[in-house]
Amino acid sequence: MKGPGNRYHALDSLRGLLILNMIAYHALYDVVYILNIPIFWYTGQAGYIWQQSICWGFILLSGFCFRLSRHPVRHGLTVLGAGVLVSLATYLAMPSESILFGVLYLLGLAGLIQCGVWALWSRWKQPPFPAWLGLGLNLAAFFLTRNVPRGSLGFEGLILCPLPSWLYQWDWLAVLGLPGPGFHSSDYFPLAPWLFLYLAGYFLWRIVGSRPAVMSRLKPGFPPLAWVGRHSLLIYLLHQPVLMGIFTLVGALH
């Protein structure tokens, strides 16, 4: 993001709103699975849509903000490192709930990939194709590959065609969206399909960022939410251990 005087506080506020939604979602997760209190809408379609809206929002917003970072490589390495830390911590503390290739890993890796792509594009005076085409192609690729980790092309319940089973024989290909039979992760965001949503966010910025009148409207924000948004990485790393500790204690007392 730009320096303190040039921040787009509306984007920070949106990120803050998303992180608070995520905390609420995970709090209810602990209510259901630690306190064993059934919440039927939460475990049904409504809860799934809520969870997906949070994920989509974070990934799209991260792609949108790529060019607003003063140090995108350092930012990508920091987020990727945080993702590796989460994987290590969950593997040591809760092996059955370990996280491999979670959302932080995706955001860090996608940012570093985009840094490489941007370095290539910088050789041209202009990017090799218009932003609207990049946005359309990446949204189409996201919808087409949404079910790749499940073994097919298509989006959610729409299955266009199954993919060959031999693609899913090696666990190390899980990062690409091709998990092997022994792969397990309680938070899984592979490059296919999620990299395309990240890139769609970047191309959306290219469309909006060229319009100063639009970008100027992103300057103001809601200070409490903006503060949460500016500290979203630290809050993300801390919120679930804190929530699990609270609900585990509540469950023990009852």
Side-chain angles (χ1 to χ4, degrees):
M1 195 69 73
K2 300 292 185 182
N6 295 313
R7 292 194 72 94
Y8 295 100
H9 298 288
L11 299 178
D12 288 329
S13 299
L14 177 57
R15 188 182 297 107
L17 181 61
L18 288 168
I19 200 81
L20 291 179
N21 262 274
M22 183 193 63
I23 292 172
Y25 179 85
H26 285 161
L28 289 183
Y29 180 94
D30 293 339
V31 168
V32 172
Y33 295 102
I34 293 180
L35 300 184
N36 295 314
I37 299 175
I39 304 177
F40 297 108
W41 68 264
Y42 177 84
T43 54
Q45 187 68 13
Y48 178 73
I49 293 174
W50 184 23
Q51 184 258 356
Q52 287 293 293
S53 70
I54 299 169
C55 299
W56 286 40
F58 263 119
I59 295 169
L60 194 68
L61 182 61
S62 296
F64 186 93
C65 292
F66 168 78
R67 286 289 293 151
L68 300 178
S69 174
R70 297 171 61 187
H71 305 286
V73 174
R74 185 174 68 186
H75 178 75
L77 290 172
T78 300
V79 176
L80 181 61
V84 173
L85 180 63
V86 168
S87 295
L88 180 62
T90 54
Y91 177 77
L92 294 176
M94 302 175 296
S96 63
E97 297 294 326
S98 61
I99 294 174
L100 296 174
F101 309 128
V103 67
L104 290 182
Y105 194 97
L106 166 78
L107 294 178
L109 189 57
L112 292 175
I113 290 172
Q114 182 60 14
C115 284
V117 173
W118 179 256
L120 291 176
W121 285 357
S122 64
R123 297 177 181 271
W124 289 282
K125 292 183 179 180
Q126 293 183 351
F129 47 83
W132 63 265
L133 180 59
L135 176 62
L137 289 176
N138 278 285
L139 285 176
F142 172 69
F143 282 95
L144 181 65
T145 62
R146 179 66 182 89
N147 292 342
V148 164
R150 305 172 190 171
S152 68
L153 295 178
F155 182 81
E156 298 293 344
L158 175 63
I159 298 176
L160 298 178
C161 69
L163 293 172
S165 59
W166 59 264
L167 290 174
Y168 299 84
Q169 294 183 12
W170 304 279
D171 289 348
W172 58 273
L173 288 180
V175 66
L176 300 179
L178 305 171
F183 178 80
H184 169 75
S185 177
S186 58
D187 183 42
Y188 180 42
F189 287 85
L191 291 177
W194 300 105
L195 176 62
F196 300 114
L197 187 61
Y198 181 96
L199 294 176
Y202 164 73
F203 283 106
L204 182 61
W205 171 84
R206 274 190 49 201
I207 294 172
V208 175
S210 62
R211 301 180 180 181
V214 176
M215 293 301 289
S216 65
R217 295 179 183 177
L218 299 179
K219 289 282 188 179
F222 185 58
L225 284 180
W227 184 91
V228 173
R230 288 194 299 272
H231 300 86
S232 58
L233 180 58
L234 180 61
I235 293 172
Y236 180 91
L237 291 174
L238 294 178
H239 84 282
Q240 189 64 314
V242 171
L243 287 176
M244 291 187 67
I246 292 172
F247 285 106
T248 300
L249 179 61
V250 170
L253 294 175
H254 289 78

